[in-house]
Amino acid sequence: MSHTLAALSAAAPLAAGWTVHGLWQHRLIDRAERDELTGLPRRAAFEKRAARMLRRTGRDVVAVLVIDLDGFKQVNDVHGHAAGDTAIRETGRRLAQWAEPLGTVARLGGDEFAAVIRCPDPDTLRGELTHLHQWLCSPVTYDGLPLPLGASIGAYPHTPGPGPAVDLSAALRVADEAMYGVKQTGGGWAITHTPTPAYRTVNGRRDGRRGTDLDAEGGAG
């Protein structure tokens, strides 16, 4: 018995060390998969979870969203990049809180975000989009001043079934096109049921959209 207790006592610090090491590695991986400014998942981590959601069967509507801030360039130009960072950070916080019970959200770069959410029916989806748009358009305060921001949201809803899963890249493109359409009319949200992109794509993105160049990088500025 004494030999067993001695062996266990000797092994305990080693096991504890491996546990700490494992937690440390997990935190490093989690940090690498998140956007530094907002803490939201980066594209790769987002795409994994979003793809799983689109593959699941059930009666819920699964909607793919693209969100773009309106007036962000003016905030940067007038108030500076620190104000722009504040706007991006707060937008990320609101999106994370909104999407947490519904699905997943990510920052794609700059002032562009994406989300995949589950809703029980189309009416609930429309209500959620209205709520999200109103929240994103509510003032963000920087240095005691309200920052004038709006938002444009495009959504592509899909009801999972026994057929092939929706391609996430295609769903993001058509959601982006819906977002672009409402952006041209002053912002808001729109739903598209067309699964095929109408615009020519470059590197998987609508022609003319930021990030269509291979060397382009998204940023808060």
Side-chain angles (χ1 to χ4, degrees), residues 1-47:
M1 177 68 74
S2 60
H3 292 297
T4 302
L5 291 175
L8 289 174
S9 298
L14 180 62
W18 278 111
T19 299
V20 172
H21 179 71
L23 290 173
W24 177 73
Q25 283 192 319
H26 177 76
R27 289 173 182 171
L28 284 180
I29 293 172
D30 182 68
R31 186 181 304 171
E33 291 182 340
R34 293 186 178 274
D35 173 59
E36 292 182 2
L37 184 59
T38 63
L40 295 177
R42 295 182 187 273
R43 181 186 285 268
F46 163 77
E47 288 180 346

Side-chain angles (χ1 to χ4, degrees), residues 92-177:
R93 186 193 70 79
R94 294 177 183 182
L95 281 168
Q97 187 173 339
W98 172 80
E100 182 178 356
L102 305 171
T104 185
V105 63
R107 182 187 179 205
L108 300 182
D111 60 336
E112 182 184 16
F113 300 82
V116 176
I117 63 169
R118 298 180 71 93
C119 293
D121 52 62
D123 286 340
T124 302
L125 173 61
R126 287 190 284 269
E128 288 293 341
L129 293 176
T130 298
H131 169 66
L132 176 62
H133 181 257
Q134 291 173 345
W135 197 10
L136 294 181
C137 291
S138 62
V140 174
T141 302
Y142 171 75
D143 200 20
L145 298 173
L147 302 178
L149 283 172
S152 296
I153 306 169
Y156 172 72
H158 167 69
T159 302
V166 170
D167 178 71
L168 178 61
S169 296
L172 285 169
R173 290 200 299 271
V174 295
D176 177 70
E177 291 179 0

